[in-house]
């Protein structure tokens, strides 16, 4: 799970476009961006991603749109 702290002005429509850009380049890096959430009021974006490592996930964001996450947390599915 990655977290972007973007501050004021984050719009869900802009994040949707960035997510589409991620999907367009992710295959070349063994990455699968699954879902995202936007907190417009709090200026945060959360992305759920399957990746071989944090650097691969960051590389996809960097190549797709340049909005690299501020934090990346390894998580595992439960239940």
């Amino acid at each position: 799970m990655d977290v972007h702290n973007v501050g004021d002005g984050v719009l869900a429509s802009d994040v949707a476009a960035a997510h589409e850009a991620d999907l367009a380049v992710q295959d070349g890096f063994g990455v699968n961006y699954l879902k995202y959430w936007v907190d417009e009021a709090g200026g945060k974006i959360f992305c759920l991603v399957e990746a071989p490592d944090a650097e691969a996930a960051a590389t996809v964001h960097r190549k797709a749109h340049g909005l690299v996450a501020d934090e990346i947390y390894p998580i595992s599915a439960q239940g």
Side-chain angles (χ1 to χ4, degrees):
M1 173 77 66
D2 74 23
V3 181
H4 303 258
N5 300 302
V6 295
D8 294 339
V10 63
L11 299 175
S13 58
D14 292 337
V15 178
H19 180 69
E20 290 301 318
D22 288 329
L23 298 180
V25 301
Q26 69 184 7
D27 290 344
F29 300 93
V31 171
N32 185 16
Y33 273 90
L34 300 167
K35 192 167 184 163
Y36 65 90
W37 297 265
V38 181
D39 176 359
E40 288 182 336
K44 292 186 180 282
I45 304 163
F46 305 88
C47 303
L48 181 61
V49 57
E50 291 178 330
D53 54 46
E55 185 54 37
T59 298
V60 170
H61 275 338
R62 191 178 305 107
K63 297 266 186 197
H65 46 68
L67 300 173
V68 179
D70 296 295
E71 303 164 75
I72 299 177
Y73 298 97
I75 59 172
S76 59
Q78 300 296 316

